[in-house]
Amino acid sequence: MTTTLHTPACTKAMYRDGKIHVTYSDGKKVSFPISANRRLRGQPAEKLNHIEIGHFGLSWPDLDEDLSHEGLRAGRFGQG
């Protein structure tokens, strides 16, 4: 029998007050400072708020950055 791990769907992702805020369908919320990610830190709000929510993660196409939902939920916010 094969077991598939399911990550709850991401329902919202936004930039506010120097942090990325992510909400999942199971009620879990993840927030992290943009300073924790070298590709996000120092970027203008308009680029930080251009977040595409995908099945496997978040993408900032203007900044060439992708973070997996699994990693975000585990506290991994990209390269420091």
Side-chain angles (χ1 to χ4, degrees):
M1 178 179 207
T2 303
T3 303
T4 303
L5 296 177
H6 173 72
T7 300
C10 178
T11 58
K12 186 176 183 181
M14 63 182 283
Y15 168 73
R16 184 180 69 231
D17 300 327
K19 293 183 178 181
I20 301 296
H21 302 275
V22 187
T23 304
Y24 290 93
S25 62
D26 65 351
K28 182 170 177 87
K29 294 181 179 184
V30 175
S31 293
F32 67 94
I34 60 168
S35 62
N37 181 294
R38 68 178 175 84
R39 289 192 176 142
L40 301 181
R41 85 173 64 106
Q43 297 295 330
E46 75 178 31
K47 288 187 177 186
L48 292 167
N49 260 319
H50 182 192
I51 304 169
E52 294 179 356
I53 300 172
H55 182 71
F56 296 105
L58 302 180
S59 177
W60 288 263
D62 299 333
L63 303 173
D64 192 30
E65 180 63 316
D66 302 292
L67 298 174
S68 73
H69 294 303
E70 181 181 323
L72 287 168
R73 291 174 64 94
R76 296 188 306 270
F77 309 124
Q79 299 176 356

